[in-house]
Amino acid sequence: MFRDILRVSSRTILLHIIFVVVIGLVISYAVMSAPDSPPVKSEQGILDLTQGRIRTNPVQLEGEWTFYWHQLLSPEDIRSLMEMGGQSDRYINIPGSWLGYRLDGQELTGEGFATFRLLIKLSEQDRNERLALRLPTIFHAYKLWVNGELLAEAGRVGQDKSNMTPQLATKLVFFQPESDTVELVMQVSNFYHNRGGITKEIELGGSNVLTVQTKLKVATDMFVTASLLVIGLYNLMLFLLRRQDRAPLYFGLFTLLFGIRSMLNGELMFTQFFPDFPWELQFKMEYLTLCLGGYVITKYYECIFPNYVSRWFRLGSRIVTGLLCLVVVITPALIYTKMLMLIGAVVVLHMAYLMVGLAKAAMQHMEGALIFLLVSVVALVTVINDFLYFNEWSPIGNTSPAGLLIFTIAQLILLSSRFTRAATNEVRIAHELQEANDRLTDMNTNLEQLVKERTHALSAAHEDLRKSYEQLLRSEHGRKKLLAYITHDLRLPLSSMLGYVEAVKDMVKPERNEQYLKYIRDNTIRINHMIGELSFLSHLETGQVEYHMEPVHAADFLHRFFEQYELVVLDAGLDFTLDIGRGEDQRADFPHIEIDEQRLEQALFNLVSNAMKFTSTGGIIRLALAVDETEDPSNVLISVQDSGMGIPPDQLEQIFDRNYRYDRPSTDMKVEGSGLGLAICREIVQAHGGSVHADSDGETGSIFYISLPLYSIAGR
């Protein structure tokens, strides 16, 4: 929904933004366009302002200042020096860096420290007024005394790099002259930047006038910065909503970069907001935004006019920009600030190359090319002026934010037109598609209903076929397994029977024919029983046995089983006991289990039958019932314990495998069986959601456990 709202009203929002920006710029520059002060310059460290009225007409303190190189002097030190006849005869033009200043036949570097002094003569009207000094950024730490009183400082002044702390800040200081002269003494040190000294104009005037002008400059910078940042974020939002077009992405990044850079120049709003921000990192941010600007605007230009940027220029732009950014990141400011002209040349080269392409596009009447070209000229002029200004070659101040804002507004118009046209086309196409879809819907209503009915019938038939196929697969699987079991389990007894038949036929030992026939009969019965068990186990394993589950009282079920098979066990010469763990009067407290009684009875009888086979006459078989509360949730535990020969512990895991039989070699007991009973028992118990396992020490009988989950009647 938000996407639709923004898409519909984006042009309206953009027009409001453009209107506010233009009106704000007009008002700001109209208010600030005060008449210039008369050009008055100091000579040999003295500035004569007796003929003016600086309370209403502030002046810039330009001209010659007394210059004390490699000396950090306080006003008292200077007075003492003058009393001793040590008046300095060195003067330096302010604003200007001491870089390149000739001293004793040599040019100074940007690193060093010095003291500046200026004596100002005031008119009678001004000496009783409250005056102010507007201090720009001074490279890169300073202290200022006015008439012997320390009024301002930025960073920490020192005679070497280890004792100096750089800081960039603009300040407004106030003082009362109380005489017709004002002495300014300023200590300045620089060991971090390519240029050092007072490189920008210091203004002197009435406190009220300078306060108003300073606030207006701050407001103008804030307005330009806020406009650039808002426009940048707006374009990034457009890209997030419509990622097919990358032009808003690069234009938003470009605008954000120079919005951030405008905070690092002019009135230094960034420093005002974050006074403790590291100086080195602040400078790196300023230079990185400048290095990246040319590359980002090239990427934006590619999106608008994709066929007017050559491959080699894109590659060269990427390499040069990457190298410049790398130098800025890994080197100190003292090194990369020397590359300002190189960085400026790269940015100007980017813009110049793009303007050539724009001229070609404009001649071919490409949409937006002419506007793009005109505002690019404005932006290029302002950028070139800034490079000249920061290198002290231009008297015009920082103009790139205003030029970039004009450039940004023009690009907003261009992007808005593209975005609105794309949105309009999307709406039109969507409307046409909707109409076509409505017509198709009307035409295919009956067909759709018919297709639904046929599809439903086909789905039902497919489901029936799937179930039949799965059933067939299970049957086929069971058939194959049964055939394999019969082949494996019946080959030996059938071969033996065949041998006895041949012996009877050939009258090998006629006197033993009756014994041979009895063996053949017994084996035939056993094979028939084995085939039945194999068939039943095969059905169990392939899921072809149906279970009729119902809740049954555990104690009652076990009691019925005990009564049913008690005589069978006793006839075998064994004792048969039942232990339900509670008295008859407490049997009702036992929980219920959900079982198929017939199947579970068969599994339990297999365990009892197995115990009977391996227990000698006179032995005991114990049937027990308990609740295992150690598990979560609790289980019903049915156990069958015998006093037979036991099972070796290392074979307990194998006894439930198909055809496994264990005959203890140290006994003469002959055990008949197919070895399938325990396998059938495990399949039945697992179908009930339970488990079966055995425990034995191999000497004193065995215990088989059936664990079944409880059945909750209340939960049911």
Side-chain angles (χ1 to χ4, degrees):
M1 180 178 180
F2 176 72
R3 180 191 298 266
D4 296 335
I5 293 175
L6 184 59
R7 180 177 295 165
V8 172
S9 59
S10 60
R11 189 178 184 86
T12 303
I13 295 173
L14 182 58
L15 290 176
H16 282 82
I17 293 175
I18 295 173
F19 178 77
V20 171
V21 170
V22 172
I23 295 299
L25 284 174
V26 171
I27 294 176
S28 299
Y29 287 107
V31 173
M32 293 185 61
S33 60
D36 294 333
S37 303
V40 180
K41 293 188 177 182
S42 59
E43 297 180 359
Q44 296 186 354
I46 299 175
L47 179 62
D48 188 357
L49 299 178
T50 56
Q51 302 302 318
R53 187 71 183 272
I54 62 174
R55 185 181 73 85
T56 56
N57 296 314
V59 297
Q60 296 179 350
L61 304 183
E62 300 178 350
E64 296 178 339
W65 288 45
T66 308
F67 184 53
Y68 300 90
W69 178 244
H70 271 190
Q71 298 182 72
L72 295 179
L73 304 176
S74 65
E76 292 81 4
D77 296 333
I78 293 177
R79 281 195 292 270
S80 299
L81 188 64
M82 294 174 63
E83 290 173 359
M84 295 172 59
Q87 173 68 31
S88 174
D89 57 355
R90 296 193 183 99
Y91 303 97
I92 189 171
N93 283 319
I94 300 298
S97 171
W98 62 57
L99 175 66
Y101 183 84
R102 297 192 65 83
L103 183 65
D104 297 332
Q106 295 182 347
E107 292 185 355
L108 300 181
T109 64
E111 300 175 75
F113 55 92
T115 301
F116 301 83
R117 178 178 180 271
L118 178 66
L119 187 65
I120 304 172
K121 295 181 180 181
L122 302 176
S123 64
E124 290 188 12
Q125 297 90 343
D126 290 331
R127 67 181 182 179
N128 296 320
E129 298 290 340
R130 188 167 184 263
L131 303 180
L133 284 168
R134 185 177 181 276
L135 303 175
T137 55
I138 296 175
F139 289 2
H140 269 102
Y142 68 87
K143 283 185 177 181
L144 173 67
W145 286 267
V146 178
N147 289 337
E149 181 182 0
L150 180 63
L151 291 186
E153 58 181 320
R156 184 177 65 179
V157 178
Q159 297 184 2
D160 53 43
K161 189 173 183 178
S162 61
N163 294 317
M164 176 201 163
T165 302
Q167 184 182 17
L168 288 178
T170 59
K171 295 180 181 291
L172 188 65
V173 297
F174 304 93
F175 65 94
Q176 189 76 34
E178 297 180 353
S179 67
D180 57 356
T181 60
V182 175
E183 182 190 36
L184 302 183
V185 176
M186 179 175 287
Q187 296 178 357
V188 179
S189 64
N190 171 63
F191 293 94
Y192 287 85
H193 196 273
N194 182 44
R195 293 181 296 122
I198 308 172
T199 60
K200 299 178 182 179
E201 300 86 355
I202 298 176
E203 291 186 77
L204 172 65
S207 59
N208 292 334
V209 175
L210 281 185
T211 299
V212 171
Q213 288 186 2
T214 300
K215 290 183 177 180
L216 284 175
K217 289 181 180 179
V218 171
T220 302
D221 282 1
M222 290 184 65
F223 180 80
V224 173
T225 301
S227 300
L228 291 173
L229 294 178
V230 169
I231 292 171
L233 292 174
Y234 172 78
N235 279 275
L236 290 181
M237 186 180 300
L238 288 182
F239 169 72
L240 292 176
L241 295 176
R242 191 171 181 270
R243 301 193 180 188
Q244 297 86 349
D245 186 6
R246 290 183 174 269
L249 170 64
Y250 293 117
F251 182 66
L253 291 176
F254 174 80
T255 310
L256 283 179
L257 283 175
F258 282 89
I260 295 173
R261 187 173 186 275
S262 67
M263 297 177 64
L264 303 171
N265 287 312
E267 296 301 317
L268 294 178
M269 290 179 290
F270 190 88
T271 305
Q272 295 180 25
F273 295 148
F274 308 102
D276 297 327
F277 196 81
W279 177 89
E280 182 74 32
L281 185 57
Q282 178 181 343
F283 243 77
K284 286 184 183 295
M285 290 171 56
E286 178 182 352
Y287 273 71
L288 284 175
T289 57
L290 196 58
C291 293
L292 291 170
Y295 177 72
V296 175
I297 199 63
T298 302
K299 297 295 291 183
Y300 167 67
Y301 176 82
E302 282 186 60
C303 297
I304 302 296
F305 307 105
N307 298 322
Y308 290 89
V309 179
S310 65
R311 180 175 176 273
W312 67 264
F313 184 81
R314 289 197 299 267
L315 179 61
S317 173
R318 188 179 299 115
I319 294 175
V320 172
T321 301
L323 290 176
L324 289 177
C325 291
L326 182 63
V327 171
V328 171
V329 170
I330 66 177
T331 61
L334 194 61
I335 295 178
Y336 64 76
T337 53
K338 297 178 181 180
M339 302 169 56
L340 182 60
M341 289 304 298
L342 175 61
I343 296 173
V346 171
V347 174
V348 171
L349 179 62
H350 275 88
M351 298 187 69
Y353 180 84
L354 297 182
M355 289 171 64
V356 172
L358 286 172
K360 294 180 180 178
M363 287 187 293
Q364 296 178 8
H365 304 288
M366 293 286 293
E367 181 185 4
L370 183 59
I371 296 177
F372 203 151
L373 177 61
L374 294 176
V375 296
S376 295
V377 172
V378 175
L380 179 60
V381 171
T382 58
V383 169
I384 293 175
N385 173 76
D386 271 11
F387 283 112
L388 297 177
Y389 171 72
F390 284 114
N391 283 278
E392 303 174 25
W393 295 342
S394 172
I396 305 175
N398 187 22
T399 57
S400 60
L404 289 173
L405 187 58
I406 295 173
F407 177 81
T408 300
I409 293 173
Q411 299 310 312
L412 275 178
I413 297 174
L414 178 60
L415 287 179
S416 174
S417 175
R418 287 165 52 90
F419 188 82
T420 304
R421 185 171 61 254
T424 303
N425 290 336
E426 287 183 7
V427 172
R428 178 179 56 80
I429 293 173
H431 181 68
E432 292 175 356
L433 288 176
Q434 183 62 41
E435 290 181 348
N437 183 65
D438 291 341
R439 289 194 298 269
L440 288 174
T441 301
D442 294 338
M443 293 171 58
N444 296 330
T445 300
N446 296 332
L447 180 60
E448 182 179 353
Q449 184 64 29
L450 181 60
V451 169
K452 285 183 178 180
E453 293 175 357
R454 295 295 176 85
T455 302
H456 180 72
L458 288 174
S459 298
H462 178 267
E463 184 65 21
D464 292 340
L465 286 174
R466 186 186 63 81
K467 292 180 179 179
S468 300
Y469 178 70
E470 291 178 353
Q471 183 67 27
L472 181 61
L473 284 180
R474 287 196 296 269
S475 300
E476 178 64 15
H477 183 62
R479 185 188 65 80
K480 290 181 179 180
K481 292 183 68 174
L482 179 59
L483 182 61
Y485 299 153
I486 291 175
T487 302
H488 176 272
D489 294 335
L490 301 185
R491 179 179 291 121
L492 182 61
L494 286 175
S495 299
S496 177
M497 290 169 60
L498 181 60
Y500 286 121
V501 170
E502 292 293 337
V504 173
K505 177 181 178 182
D506 296 338
M507 302 296 291
V508 177
K509 291 184 179 181
E511 68 277 8
R512 301 185 66 178
N513 284 351
E514 183 177 351
Q515 182 181 355
Y516 292 159
L517 291 174
K518 182 178 183 302
Y519 178 82
I520 293 172
R521 177 181 177 277
D522 292 342
N523 272 275
T524 302
I525 295 173
R526 185 164 66 86
I527 289 172
N528 185 58
H529 179 67
M530 184 185 299
I531 291 174
E533 286 189 329
L534 282 171
S535 177
F536 182 66
L537 180 58
S538 176
H539 283 76
L540 285 175
E541 291 177 341
T542 56
Q544 299 182 63
V545 176
E546 293 186 1
Y547 290 86
H548 303 284
M549 311 295 283
E550 58 183 5
V552 175
H553 192 275
D556 290 345
F557 165 74
L558 201 60
H559 198 272
R560 287 194 297 272
F561 177 83
F562 176 78
E563 290 179 344
Q564 182 177 354
Y565 294 100
E566 182 179 12
L567 292 178
V568 176
V569 178
L570 293 178
D571 288 345
L574 303 173
D575 288 339
F576 195 31
T577 63
L578 174 64
D579 181 8
I580 62 173
R582 306 181 185 184
E584 290 292 328
D585 56 340
Q586 295 180 329
R587 188 191 303 174
D589 296 337
F590 267 92
H592 286 69
I593 52 179
E594 189 175 22
I595 62 173
D596 183 327
E597 271 196 77
Q598 180 181 354
R599 299 301 181 195
L600 189 60
E601 181 182 308
Q602 180 182 358
L604 194 56
F605 177 73
N606 284 353
L607 294 182
V608 173
S609 176
N610 188 71
M612 292 170 61
K613 293 175 185 177
F614 291 94
T615 304
S616 303
T617 303
I620 299 175
I621 296 177
R622 177 174 173 269
L623 188 64
L625 177 66
V627 177
D628 184 5
E629 297 181 349
T630 61
E631 299 290 335
D632 186 19
S634 301
N635 293 330
V636 170
L637 203 62
I638 300 174
S639 62
V640 177
Q641 182 178 6
D642 63 68
S643 59
M645 63 182 67
I647 305 170
D650 60 344
Q651 300 187 32
L652 289 175
E653 295 296 329
Q654 307 173 36
I655 59 176
F656 293 98
D657 293 341
R658 169 190 306 278
N659 301 323
Y660 176 81
R661 293 180 60 191
Y662 171 69
D663 294 326
R664 179 170 293 219
S666 60
T667 64
D668 296 331
M669 179 181 294
K670 185 177 181 181
V671 180
E672 299 288 343
S674 62
L676 299 174
L678 293 182
I680 293 174
C681 176
R682 180 176 61 180
E683 293 294 332
I684 294 175
V685 172
Q686 288 179 350
H688 283 74
S691 62
V692 59
H693 67 280
D695 188 17
S696 176
D697 58 3
E699 298 292 340
T700 59
S702 307
I703 305 178
F704 287 81
Y705 297 96
I706 294 178
S707 178
L708 297 171
L710 292 178
Y711 175 80
S712 174
I713 298 179
R716 196 72 172 177

